[in-house]
Amino acid sequence: MKIAKITLFVVSLLLLGVFLLGNQMTPNPGTSSGNGNPALLIAFMLIPVFVFMVFLWIRIFHVHPFGNTAFIISILAILVHLSAAYIYQRNAFIEYRQVIKDALLKKDGVVDAEYLQSITTGLSIHVNNQYFNINTYFMFVTLSILIAIVYTISEKKEKANIK
């Protein structure tokens, strides 16, 4: 069990480094970015890491069982956190789009609305700092905890129904 906790701690630290690295891959507002987005390689790597983290949380919850009340309170707290974090991130994104617009306006004197939309939509390198930051890191970790809790509760109910 100690191995699962240590592994989860190490994975969480490495994951924080990955998020910070992705954040640093954002070009300065108003500058050209070249071709492609190397942070996409990081994004694809996050999927198996997420599944691994959920697995580790489930192992920890099996060894250190919590009551259903504690799990329900945790679920509610996580949902509040994820909602607040999403709202914060959405507002930060809107503000960052304005920062980019202001930088382009300062640089060129005019801003092409289509260009602004294209570099601040989807998987553009210009918004890496909106996908990879401390807030999204904590959202990633708490979502893994939420899924592990839901899985553990459903597993408990399934075992109770079998008996």
Side-chain angles (χ1 to χ4, degrees):
M1 172 58 347
K2 196 173 190 178
I3 292 173
K5 289 179 184 178
I6 292 170
T7 304
L8 185 60
F9 178 72
V10 169
V11 167
S12 296
L13 284 179
L14 291 174
L15 186 63
L16 178 60
V18 167
F19 269 75
L20 295 176
L21 177 66
N23 185 291
Q24 294 300 312
M25 291 182 184
T26 308
N28 291 328
T31 60
S32 172
S33 64
N35 292 331
N37 186 352
L40 291 180
L41 299 173
I42 292 172
F44 289 122
M45 186 177 73
L46 294 177
I47 296 167
V49 171
F50 183 81
V51 172
F52 185 59
M53 286 182 74
V54 170
F55 171 76
L56 290 172
W57 281 115
I58 291 170
R59 286 198 54 203
I60 290 170
F61 293 150
H62 282 164
V63 173
H64 300 291
F66 293 95
N68 284 342
T69 305
F71 275 144
I72 298 299
I73 291 170
S74 297
I75 287 173
L76 292 174
I78 289 171
L79 289 175
V80 167
H81 167 259
L82 289 174
S83 298
Y86 174 79
I87 291 167
Y88 170 82
Q89 198 60 46
R90 181 73 185 137
N91 290 336
F93 177 76
I94 291 167
E95 288 175 18
Y96 189 67
R97 181 177 274 167
Q98 185 63 42
V99 167
I100 292 176
K101 182 178 179 181
D102 293 344
L104 290 171
L105 192 58
K106 184 178 180 181
K107 176 184 163 205
D108 300 331
V110 67
V111 176
D112 180 9
E114 284 184 37
Y115 176 71
L116 179 64
Q117 184 69 24
S118 72
I119 66 169
T120 59
T121 304
L123 302 174
S124 170
I125 194 170
H126 291 278
V127 290
N128 280 347
N129 62 353
Q130 298 301 304
Y131 297 131
F132 298 103
N133 57 53
I134 297 295
N135 184 46
T136 56
Y137 166 75
F138 282 117
M139 290 173 72
F140 187 91
V141 172
T142 55
L143 183 62
S144 72
I145 296 169
L146 176 65
I147 291 173
I149 289 172
V150 169
Y151 178 83
T152 304
I153 289 173
S154 67
E155 195 176 53
K156 279 184 179 181
K157 284 186 178 183
E158 195 174 293
K159 285 182 183 178
N161 289 338
I162 292 175
K163 292 180 182 180

